[in-house]
Amino acid sequence: MRTFGLSDFWYIVYAAQWTVLLSLTAFAGGGLVGLAVALARTGTNRTARALSMGFIQIFRGTPLLLQLFLVFFGAPVIGFDVDPWTAAAVALALNAGAFLGEIWRGCIESVPRGQWEAAAALGLKYRYLLRDVILPQALKIAVPPTVGYLVQVIKGTSLAAIIGFTELTRAGQIVNNATFEPMMVFSVVAVLYFLLCWPLSLLAGRMEKRLAISLARE
């Protein structure tokens, strides 16, 4: 046992960079998956709609911790040897993809039907209708909730500690095991999470207000 010191503090702070990196990786991967899911959910192909809906139900209907376990412990069973970083990134990306897919589906469907009908009346094919008319309008609506969801991704990375990935929470556990000062250690961890999430929450709130004012003017 030792007393919590400056070196322990900087060790936890250093681990925060892995939380940020894992969050950005999961968010980027989830964005790609989410876009595919949203387009499938709003498309005309029934099979794609059914598959995307099934994907959403699975990943939104099961705990993220269970998904981490299935990727980390299940991948070796089918012949893939994955490290904690890869397992955490894949599980978080798939989970984020399900949630972002639903967020973006709602944004796409919130574009007034008149816009869809006017574009169709001009003879635009479906992919051009989406690319040139619908998605630019949906993007404006989607930015605030997407930024807000990034907060959930950051907090979700704490579960990666369970499979041995050393991010912010895991670093706190390691230091606590050496110092046995949980109040001090996890207070530092909580403050760092707050400093990561609070600015994003403020930004999302401001974006929502600006969007509401913009839509009211229109």
Side-chain angles (χ1 to χ4, degrees):
M1 292 293 179
R2 66 172 187 270
T3 303
F4 182 83
L6 189 60
S7 61
D8 297 309
F9 172 78
W10 286 116
Y11 177 75
I12 295 174
V13 171
Y14 179 81
Q17 70 174 328
W18 293 107
T19 290
V20 173
L21 185 58
L22 180 58
S23 300
L24 294 177
T25 302
F27 190 72
L32 294 175
V33 174
L35 180 60
V37 169
L39 293 177
R41 286 274 282 128
T42 56
T44 56
N45 188 297
R46 291 185 178 180
T47 301
R49 288 205 304 270
L51 290 174
S52 61
M53 188 61 190
F55 174 85
I56 289 170
Q57 292 297 332
I58 290 172
F59 282 92
R60 292 184 66 187
T62 56
L64 176 55
L65 181 59
L66 177 62
Q67 295 164 24
L68 282 164
F69 283 155
L70 287 174
V71 174
F72 185 63
F73 296 111
V77 175
I78 59 176
F80 295 97
D81 188 17
V82 296
D83 54 78
W85 160 262
T86 303
V90 170
L92 285 165
L94 292 174
N95 183 269
F99 282 90
L100 288 174
E102 274 295 89
I103 290 171
W104 294 345
R105 175 198 61 79
C107 294
I108 291 172
E109 293 182 346
S110 68
V111 175
R113 294 308 303 176
Q115 298 290 320
W116 295 78
E117 294 167 358
L122 293 173
L124 291 177
K125 293 183 178 180
Y126 186 75
R127 63 177 180 273
Y128 297 118
L129 181 151
L130 280 177
R131 187 190 68 185
D132 298 330
V133 180
I134 303 303
L135 290 183
Q137 298 181 69
L139 177 62
K140 180 180 179 181
I141 303 170
V143 171
T146 301
V147 173
Y149 182 71
L150 180 55
V151 174
Q152 302 303 317
V153 175
I154 293 173
K155 291 190 289 187
T157 60
S158 62
L159 294 177
I162 302 296
I163 60 173
F165 180 69
T166 307
E167 40 65 68
L168 195 49
T169 298
R170 179 60 179 163
Q173 291 174 341
I174 292 171
V175 172
N176 181 62
N177 290 339
T179 63
F180 202 65
E181 295 185 38
M183 284 300 296
M184 175 65 73
V185 172
F186 291 112
S187 292
V188 171
V189 172
V191 168
L192 290 174
Y193 273 116
F194 179 78
L195 292 176
L196 290 174
C197 296
W198 184 56
L200 291 173
S201 298
L202 288 179
L203 179 61
R206 290 179 180 177
M207 286 181 170
E208 289 177 359
K209 289 180 181 178
R210 289 181 181 179
L211 176 62
I213 293 172
S214 176
L215 292 177
R217 289 176 178 174
E218 293 177 1

